[in-house]
Amino acid sequence: QVQLVESGGGLVQPGGSLRLSCAASGSIFKFYAMGWYRQASGKQRELVATITSGGSTNYLDSVKGRFTISRDNAKNTVSLQMNSLKPEDTAIYYCYADTVELTLPRRYWGRGTQVTISS
């Protein structure tokens, strides 16, 4: 079984920065895509950033230029550096990791970490 645990959330003022980290543990062979979703109160979950095992990245338009996703394949971690934070970035952030088990694709999720941007 694989577990993903996020850390790094908190309360910051607009314009501030936070770095989220997600560490995977358990029976891991290989993760393919990893990334972050977020869900604001009363809204649908949205994909924030993804990174492939080869390092290719994609971002939600509203975070481009402000957020940077990275991963350490050896440590099975994925991070999200968030700069120039805005109140609309307030949400619970969830990391995910895609793998293949018994030839079937499987996505694992973290439990989420709260990010609040407020003055």
Side-chain angles (χ1 to χ4, degrees):
Q1 190 71 11
V2 174
Q3 290 187 328
L4 301 181
V5 179
E6 301 101 334
S7 60
L11 170 64
V12 296
Q13 294 186 340
S17 297
L18 279 175
R19 183 176 180 85
L20 305 183
S21 296
C22 175
S25 62
S27 301
I28 302 166
F29 177 63
K30 179 180 180 179
F31 288 130
Y32 296 92
M34 301 180 77
W36 296 86
Y37 279 76
R38 69 185 181 188
Q39 186 166 21
S41 180
K43 295 187 177 181
Q44 288 189 330
R45 189 175 293 193
E46 61 182 356
L47 179 60
V48 177
T50 65
I51 185 167
T52 68
S53 57
S56 296
T57 59
N58 276 294
Y59 296 94
L60 181 68
D61 283 346
S62 62
V63 308
K64 286 180 180 178
R66 300 188 298 121
F67 291 11
T68 302
I69 190 170
S70 60
R71 67 188 280 175
D72 185 327
N73 291 330
K75 296 181 179 179
N76 289 312
T77 60
V78 61
S79 298
L80 187 67
Q81 178 65 42
M82 306 186 294
N83 299 327
S84 303
L85 284 162
K86 304 176 181 180
E88 51 264 42
D89 294 318
T90 295
I92 299 174
Y93 284 69
Y94 300 88
C95 71
Y96 77 90
D98 290 337
T99 187
V100 174
E101 295 181 350
L102 300 176
T103 75
L104 296 175
R106 179 160 183 177
R107 173 167 288 183
Y108 287 96
W109 292 94
R111 291 189 173 186
T113 185
Q114 177 70 50
V115 171
T116 303
I117 314 304
S118 176
S119 55

